[in-house]
Amino acid sequence: MKILIATDMEGITGVTTWDQVTPGHPEYARFRKQMTEDVNAAIRGAYQASADEVIVADGHWNGSNILIEQLDARGRLNTGSPSPFSMMQGIDESVDAVMFIGYHARNGSPNAILDHTWSSRTVANVWLNDILTGEYGLNAAVAGHFGVPVIMVSGDQTACAQVTELLGEVETAVVKQASGRFAAECLSPEGTRDTICVSAERAVARLAEGDVPDPFVLIL
Ligand SMILES: [Zn+2]
């Protein structure tokens, strides 16, 4: 079973401000480390079920956030930018399922940490056919093009709810309860380590049983 872990940073454990996800800011270094830890928890969970290959796509900013020297040794990392599939680099027909780690809600969502869609400066909203969506929808559609389902998401409660609303009952790891765009009640890293690991394990176990939502395929 081959799993692609597609990552972003705004929905990582403890993140509530742009400074924390902006390369060059002193706060950023702390949350790169945390992003790597959230990813490692997902890798661990996937292998505790029946995954035997895990690739990771570093999807935030320039794709150079995850600390490879701290990455679980069983993972391979797609890093750097630009790449052909951007936040979904590594996707193809050989992948069995995708997990979203550190995802955020679409632009304009209430109670959603750092809500935006691709670029908060240049994109107000995105629709796929008539569906108002965010990066999660665009990236799920890329996976769907290859016949691959999304089976798990981590992020704040609003991001998780939006992914579930679009795709169906994927496993969710809520790492923080947002009360605004820049404020949330956050679980500790120790707490989210377990939550993410358990969700990932459950998602892959469900995949093995054929009990996951269908791939998100756009009908044009
Ligand atoms: Zn991002």
Side-chain angles (χ1 to χ4, degrees):
M1 200 98 70
K2 179 177 177 182
I3 306 295
L4 171 64
I5 298 179
T7 69
D8 203 353
M9 199 166 188
E10 290 82 353
I12 291 299
T13 300
V15 166
T16 59
T17 72
W18 291 120
D19 290 347
Q20 293 165 341
V21 298
T22 301
H25 195 281
E27 278 282 278
Y28 168 74
R30 294 173 57 208
F31 290 92
R32 290 182 82 174
K33 191 162 174 288
Q34 190 54 51
M35 183 179 183
T36 309
E37 288 303 317
D38 283 15
V39 169
N40 282 343
I43 295 175
R44 223 165 23 247
Y47 275 99
Q48 279 173 21
S50 50
D52 41 37
E53 193 176 351
V54 174
I55 45 178
V56 180
D58 189 333
H60 176 72
W61 202 277
N62 58 357
S64 304
N65 309 282
I66 292 167
L67 300 169
I68 195 166
E69 62 273 31
Q70 291 173 20
L71 187 71
D72 187 300
R74 296 166 291 185
R76 294 199 307 280
L77 181 63
N78 279 297
T79 179
S81 177
S83 58
F85 289 105
S86 188
M87 298 178 77
M88 295 295 283
Q89 185 61 22
I91 189 73
D92 63 22
E93 293 87 351
S94 72
V95 174
D96 291 293
V98 170
M99 297 181 184
F100 289 157
I101 295 294
Y103 265 50
H104 56 82
R106 64 178 176 259
N107 194 42
S109 306
N111 298 330
I113 291 300
L114 307 180
D115 60 295
H116 69 284
T117 301
W118 220 263
S119 162
S120 48
R121 279 191 207 153
T122 54
V123 178
N125 267 312
V126 169
W127 284 261
L128 291 173
N129 292 340
D130 292 331
I131 306 168
L132 177 61
T133 191
E135 291 166 29
Y136 58 91
L138 296 168
N139 292 331
V142 173
H145 171 78
F146 292 98
V148 179
V150 175
I151 60 171
M152 187 211 152
V153 57
S154 79
D156 66 24
Q157 84 279 19
T158 306
C160 291
Q162 289 182 357
V163 171
T164 304
E165 186 193 11
L166 179 70
L167 302 178
E169 293 299 313
V170 304
E171 290 295 323
T172 57
V174 176
V175 301
K176 52 196 165 190
Q177 291 284 337
S179 52
R181 196 176 197 211
F182 305 111
E185 186 170 295
C186 301
L187 295 180
S188 71
E190 206 174 320
T192 63
R193 200 156 44 226
D194 291 344
T195 305
I196 293 169
C197 182
V198 167
S199 293
E201 182 177 359
R202 230 187 259 146
V204 175
R206 282 177 54 192
L207 178 68
E209 292 164 7
D211 176 30
V212 293
D214 290 334
F216 180 55
V217 179
L218 278 179
I219 313 288
L220 298 174

